Amino acid sequence: MGCHCKLLLAVSVGIFAIIHIVQAQPDQQGFISLDCGLPPGESPYTDPVTGLTFSSDAEFIRSGKRGEPGDTVTYIYRQYKDLRYFPDGIRNCYNLTVNKGTNYLIRAGFSYGNYDGLNVYPKFDLHVGPNMWIAVDLDNDDDREIIYMSKSNSLQICLVKTGSTIPMISTLELRPLRNDSYTTQLGPLNLIYRRAYTGNSGGFIRYPDDVFDRKWVPYNWFETNVNTTLNVTSSNPFVVPDAVSRSGISPKNVTLPLGFYMFTNHDSDKVNVYFHFAEIQTLNANDTREFDILLDGDIIHKAYSPKVLQSETKYNISPQKCGFGSCDLDLVRTQRSNLPPLINAIEAFTVLDFPYAETNPDDVAAMKNIQESYGLNIISWQGDPCVPELLKWEDLKCSYTNKSTPPRIISLDLSSHGLKGVITHAFQNLTELQKLDLSNNSLTGEVPEFLASMKSLSIINLNWNDLTGPLPKTFHDREKSGLKLTVQGNSRICADASCKVNNNQKYVLPVVASAASVLIIIAMVILILVFKKKRPTQVDSSSTVQHVLPKSRQSIITQTKRFTYSEVAALTDNFERVLGEGGFGVVYHGSLNGTQPIAVKLLSQSSVQGYKEFKAEVELLLRVHHVNLVSLVGYCDEEGHLALLYEYAPNGDLKQHLSGERGGSPLKWSSRLKIVVETAQDIIEQIG
Ligand SMILES: *[C@@H]1O[C@H](CO)[C@@H](O)[C@H](O)[C@H]1NC(C)=O
Ligand SMILES: *[C@@H]1O[C@H](CO)[C@@H](O)[C@H](O)[C@H]1NC(C)=O
Ligand SMILES: *[C@@H]1O[C@H](CO)[C@@H](O)[C@H](O)[C@H]1NC(C)=O
Ligand SMILES: *[C@@H]1O[C@H](CO)[C@@H](O)[C@H](O)[C@H]1NC(C)=O
Ligand SMILES: *[C@@H]1O[C@H](CO)[C@@H](O)[C@H](O)[C@H]1NC(C)=O
Ligand SMILES: *[C@@H]1O[C@H](CO)[C@@H](O)[C@H](O)[C@H]1NC(C)=O
Ligand SMILES: *[C@@H]1O[C@H](CO)[C@@H](O)[C@H](O)[C@H]1NC(C)=O
Ligand SMILES: *[C@@H]1O[C@H](CO)[C@@H](O)[C@H](O)[C@H]1NC(C)=O
Ligand SMILES: *[C@@H]1O[C@H](CO)[C@@H](O)[C@H](O)[C@H]1NC(C)=O
């Protein structure tokens, strides 16, 4: 497996960078390039390979520690050398300043490098603000990438501990994209696969060749390579790099379609696939290249002809669900075309659902202000204050209407927090606050009048502080309308007529009396009851219950397992129940351990010739694309029997998809698999 490991490392940390210096480098306008764990003294620096300027992450996060890979790994990119890890707290967040309404490519890089000597890749979740982005389950150094449009000018990227391993991160990169490319109206786009470009051009491409610093990984699909030295213009908003547009593939057997096969995580995943084309062959006057673009059997573009030396991008406008954990991409030549299909590059994304609104920004700003006023350093006070509810900040309570309504802060308990100084005006901006507890601190100064003018506030506990002076008149009025203020244990407060400090403020607040009378207690109970009645339940349980984190991982797989044919036969009750049937073979129902339902794709005997090295290659492929493969349970490759075992969701429309009822897939499964296997083969060859 030596070479496999090398490959994985190479692909992820880019050892195969094209090392050439481009004279006219595009500016890095709006780029945020953080080298996590870089000591601030060494920041910033210019990466010699890419020319990108990296900075330390120190000023964007308050927690975490610096780690350095223990392995003797040589990194081409310096930013993969150090990392930040988070032994404390559940959620640790980066707070970045972005432009509201701009589409950003956000890439988090992870190079574990056995920095902790445990030799266990960590598992954790990544959140963007209040929403779950992805469960990171590393088994090699890797990146995760999302295209996201921020609804505000600050962006929180959070690492969330989900188990016993400690979250870590090596790089965090943000690249603003054009607003007319990669539409995210229906949800952020999570990159599946690596961004692949075709042809035998060899190198790993990113900035400065790609002005948006997308990372393009070469894949030779073992088809016919096509390339040109001519310039390809890229007037489309995707601005595909020249190096990508100049090389492509078309099918070796010109009568066949060009097909790709792609895994998705879950049956319910919806995908957006971007196909990049340019006509880079010299055509005769009587030549026609025209083909249909199919996504899992559905035509997303009919009779397409690539433009001569001009890059063009085609994609499915509405996100599409793929059949059973996998997606077929096909380019099928039309009748009138004498030339086979041709493609430069493919990018595939799952469209994520980010349903949760961030906490009301005024509340967030006020909390930030309060935090700074008192120098509070509370580990959970990172990321969104209220969402996800399970990770909300300590010491506060929020009201939740529904997922899409920003939650409000309704209660704040800072008792016994060692607060010093006066009661800050910042509390005033928590306009929905109902309860404020500042008891048992060392607060000084007078009780500020603004507290009485906060409409929602009904309970204020200022007991056991060092407050002084008389209580403003307004408290007396508010007292009548239900405010409950207590100031016991503040020896220098004078609450009644005997207080002469300020002659026009002589008011008695019954609740202030040092001994609580029975009457007052009764009054409070009534107040509370009335209060409760007046406010309808503010927590919509249906919306909050769902948002339980850490996300339970229901996947039954921990490792892709090899099964023997007889085991497969046993698992499927001797291939008793057929789920679907297609040109490639038959899909059977089965169960693992007698409980977990699985689906078994069995390739027909005739299609398996020539796959002697199936195991090694498929394994490699699986590892390369492992992020897409949680639904794969195992495989079998015995004596001409090839089978893939998947998790089975009984309500999926498996049969439809696999039997080709929806229009049929023009490529046989075997052909797709062949492409896939040959890809793996080629990767091995490329790295020697
Ligand atoms: C994030 O940073 C912005 C800009 O520096 C700041 O206004 C905001 O309060 C910060 N948010 C949090 C939660 O720290
Ligand atoms: C995209 O950006 C351009 C200029 O940067 C602006 O004129 C245009 O209105 C924007 N379009 C959208 C849909 O935001
Ligand atoms: C371009 O294609 C030709 C023939 O197809 C091949 O010999 C050559 O190496 C290719 N060049 C590049 C840069 O891929
Ligand atoms: C391609 O573009 C570059 C820079 O834009 C230019 O210098 C070069 O002459 C062009 N090559 C061709 C063949 O047009
Ligand atoms: C090309 O594919 C067609 C259809 O599958 C097949 O009949 C033909 O033999 C193939 N040609 C070659 C050269 O493999
Ligand atoms: C197309 O034209 C070229 C010469 O321009 C000729 O050699 C070729 O046979 C023609 N092909 C067809 C299919 O007519
Ligand atoms: C959420 O609540 C708001 C305000 O009550 C309402 O306007 C909106 O339609 C609700 N949205 C959903 C999805 O229920
Ligand atoms: C008051 O606060 C101190 C720390 O500031 C704490 O030790 C003590 O237990 C608190 N007392 C009460 C009654 O909460
Ligand atoms: C309260 O919020 C307003 C705007 O929402 C802001 O201008 C003001 O400075 C804030 N006050 C405090 C004390 O933070």
Side-chain angles (χ1 to χ4, degrees):
M1 290 296 284
C3 67
H4 298 178
C5 303
K6 188 169 141 204
L7 164 78
L8 295 165
L9 199 68
V11 171
S12 53
V13 297
I15 280 172
F16 285 106
I18 296 180
I19 304 180
H20 60 190
I21 303 304
V22 174
Q23 295 89 342
Q25 301 205 345
D27 63 1
Q28 299 168 39
Q29 180 96 45
F31 280 25
I32 296 175
S33 308
L34 301 184
D35 180 342
C36 305
L38 179 75
E42 296 173 27
S43 170
Y45 64 85
T46 298
D47 183 274
V49 180
T50 57
L52 287 165
T53 304
F54 276 86
S55 316
S56 165
D57 62 339
E59 63 181 279
F60 302 97
I61 192 152
R62 292 186 296 123
S63 51
K65 297 195 161 94
R66 173 169 192 263
E68 266 185 292
D71 281 355
T72 51
V73 183
T74 321
Y75 292 95
I76 280 240
Y77 296 127
R78 173 170 169 192
Q79 59 269 25
Y80 283 95
K81 267 198 298 201
D82 9 45
L83 56 91
R84 184 178 292 271
Y85 67 101
F86 301 95
D88 303 315
I90 304 295
R91 175 174 65 166
N92 289 274
C93 300
Y94 283 87
N95 178 26
L96 305 168
T97 303
V98 296
N99 289 323
K100 182 178 167 176
T102 296
N103 237 1
Y104 280 91
L105 182 161
I106 304 170
R107 187 165 50 219
F110 306 97
S111 172
Y112 166 65
N114 196 19
Y115 78 94
D116 54 5
L118 300 173
N119 216 6
V120 177
Y121 274 101
K123 292 181 191 180
F124 50 91
D125 286 351
L126 281 178
H127 289 199
V128 177
N131 289 291
M132 167 86 174
W133 164 10
I134 196 169
V136 177
D137 182 358
L138 298 171
D139 63 5
N140 57 74
D141 296 351
D142 215 340
D143 291 340
R144 295 290 182 272
E145 189 184 304
I146 194 175
I147 295 176
Y148 173 70
M149 186 180 287
S150 177
K151 294 190 181 71
S152 69
N153 286 327
S154 72
L155 176 71
Q156 317 272 326
I157 305 289
C158 306
L159 292 92
V160 179
K161 199 165 190 281
T162 54
S164 57
T165 51
I166 290 174
M168 49 86 30
I169 185 167
S170 306
T171 63
L172 188 56
E173 298 166 314
L174 268 73
R175 313 291 182 231
L177 301 170
R178 276 175 60 153
N179 62 6
D180 49 356
S181 63
Y182 305 104
T183 46
T184 51
Q185 266 74 27
L186 296 163
L189 303 175
N190 181 63
L191 184 69
I192 49 179
Y193 267 11
R194 297 201 169 77
R195 186 173 276 112
Y197 78 100
T198 60
N200 62 353
S201 20
F204 178 92
I205 294 172
R206 65 179 294 188
Y207 187 87
D209 301 84
D210 188 318
V211 291
F212 300 128
D213 192 28
R214 287 162 294 191
K215 287 181 172 178
W216 302 84
V217 178
Y219 280 106
N220 183 337
W221 306 87
F222 249 71
E223 302 289 353
T224 303
N225 294 307
V226 184
N227 62 44
T228 182
T229 52
L230 297 174
N231 286 347
V232 178
T233 60
S234 182
S235 54
N236 89 27
F238 292 89
V239 198
V240 175
D242 242 24
V244 170
S245 294
R246 280 189 188 140
S247 76
I249 50 168
S250 62
K252 215 166 221 164
N253 182 336
V254 297
T255 67
L256 289 179
L258 195 53
F260 308 96
Y261 187 77
M262 176 180 93
F263 296 105
T264 55
N265 256 349
H266 305 286
D267 275 2
S268 56
D269 283 350
K270 289 187 172 176
V271 301
N272 248 160
V273 183
Y274 293 80
F275 301 86
H276 304 287
F277 302 103
E279 180 55 76
I280 51 174
Q281 274 184 323
T282 313
L283 305 187
N284 293 320
N286 57 1
D287 278 338
T288 308
R289 191 194 307 279
E290 190 185 80
F291 49 88
D292 295 336
I293 306 168
L294 282 79
L295 177 54
D296 222 40
D298 291 343
I299 295 183
I300 61 168
H301 203 283
K302 216 173 163 42
Y304 175 68
S305 289
K307 296 213 163 81
V308 176
L309 296 177
Q310 204 175 332
S311 162
E312 196 172 21
T313 302
K314 294 287 164 195
Y315 55 96
N316 55 315
I317 311 270
S318 45
Q320 182 162 331
K321 231 168 121 172
C322 284
F324 206 62
S326 59
C327 224
D328 297 326
L329 318 177
D330 294 296
L331 308 178
V332 185
R333 188 166 77 156
T334 62
Q335 298 246 287
R336 60 182 288 264
S337 176
N338 66 320
L339 296 176
L342 169 72
I343 189 164
N344 301 125
I346 297 179
E347 295 174 87
F349 300 91
T350 44
V351 181
L352 300 184
D353 187 22
F354 273 19
Y356 291 95
E358 293 173 12
T359 301
N360 177 288
D362 294 337
D363 282 359
V364 178
M367 287 306 297
K368 190 84 188 154
N369 237 319
I370 293 165
Q371 181 178 17
E372 276 161 15
S373 299
Y374 296 115
L376 288 167
N377 192 9
I378 303 170
I379 186 87
S380 69
W381 283 25
Q382 300 191 50
D384 192 274
C386 298
V387 232
E389 205 180 344
L390 224 69
L391 298 176
K392 76 170 177 56
W393 293 8
E394 271 166 56
D395 310 320
L396 52 79
K397 290 201 177 84
C398 306
S399 69
Y400 303 90
T401 309
N402 56 32
K403 288 183 207 172
S404 51
T405 307
R408 299 300 306 256
I409 293 169
I410 54 166
S411 167
L412 179 59
D413 178 358
L414 292 177
S415 60
S416 311
H417 275 66
L419 308 187
K420 290 194 176 71
V422 300
I423 295 174
T424 170
H425 269 79
F427 289 110
Q428 196 176 356
N429 275 3
L430 294 173
T431 52
E432 299 262 307
L433 197 66
Q434 297 166 14
K435 189 179 167 201
L436 177 63
D437 190 342
L438 299 175
S439 62
N440 191 28
N441 284 299
S442 309
L443 294 169
T444 51
E446 295 188 7
V447 176
E449 194 160 356
F450 72 77
L451 285 180
S453 60
M454 291 172 68
K455 297 277 182 300
S456 303
L457 203 52
S458 60
I459 300 176
I460 307 174
N461 186 346
L462 302 177
N463 294 344
W464 314 112
N465 276 292
D466 204 10
L467 299 163
T468 51
L471 289 166
K473 168 181 185 292
T474 37
F475 280 101
H476 184 57
D477 305 334
R478 278 282 277 124
E479 214 289 306
K480 288 182 199 150
S481 62
L483 175 70
K484 189 159 70 79
L485 168 73
T486 54
V487 290
Q488 284 180 56
N490 289 273
S491 56
R492 295 192 287 155
I493 280 198
C494 40
D496 58 23
S498 68
C499 179
K500 300 273 188 257
V501 180
N502 205 332
N503 55 2
N504 59 358
Q505 291 183 328
K506 306 171 188 165
Y507 302 98
V508 182
L509 270 185
V511 276
V512 170
S514 53
S517 74
V518 174
L519 266 179
I520 289 164
I521 292 172
I522 291 169
M524 281 180 186
V525 169
I526 291 168
L527 275 175
I528 289 166
L529 288 178
V530 168
F531 176 74
K532 271 198 163 170
K533 270 204 176 143
K534 267 162 80 175
R535 289 187 177 267
T537 330
Q538 299 217 329
V539 178
D540 172 5
S541 58
S542 69
S543 74
T544 53
V545 165
Q546 289 171 14
H547 201 191
V548 172
L549 287 159
K551 179 175 134 290
S552 64
R553 302 189 102 255
Q554 284 157 345
S555 174
I556 51 171
I557 311 128
T558 47
Q559 209 105 55
T560 308
K561 196 176 159 213
R562 181 178 176 168
F563 291 85
T564 64
Y565 184 68
S566 54
E567 279 170 338
V568 173
L571 292 177
T572 54
D573 258 347
N574 239 338
F575 307 103
E576 168 137 324
R577 200 173 132 205
V578 174
L579 291 172
E581 214 162 340
F584 49 81
V586 184
V587 182
Y588 297 94
H589 182 272
S591 64
L592 264 189
N593 314 321
T595 52
Q596 289 290 355
I598 55 168
V600 178
K601 283 183 184 178
L602 189 66
L603 276 77
S604 50
Q605 295 265 357
S606 58
S607 64
V608 298
Q609 295 150 7
Y611 297 114
K612 296 184 297 287
E613 286 156 341
F614 179 83
K615 178 176 183 284
E617 283 144 7
V618 165
E619 220 172 49
L620 170 68
L621 186 88
L622 299 188
R623 282 175 59 91
V624 170
H625 297 152
H626 83 280
V627 65
N628 311 309
L629 285 173
V630 277
S631 60
L632 195 72
V633 190
Y635 64 95
C636 160
D637 69 305
E638 187 185 279
E639 300 278 320
H641 294 293
L642 280 186
L644 293 177
L645 284 65
Y646 292 92
E647 277 181 89
Y648 176 51
N651 48 359
D653 51 349
L654 165 80
K655 186 166 182 280
Q656 256 196 345
H657 280 278
L658 294 185
S659 59
E661 271 169 31
R662 296 187 323 149
S665 35
L667 252 198
K668 282 189 170 186
W669 212 115
S670 55
S671 315
R672 293 152 209 276
L673 189 73
K674 184 159 177 271
I675 290 162
V676 155
V677 166
E678 285 171 344
T679 306
Q681 206 164 34
D682 186 59
I683 293 169
I684 296 169
E685 280 169 17
Q686 278 190 26
I687 60 164

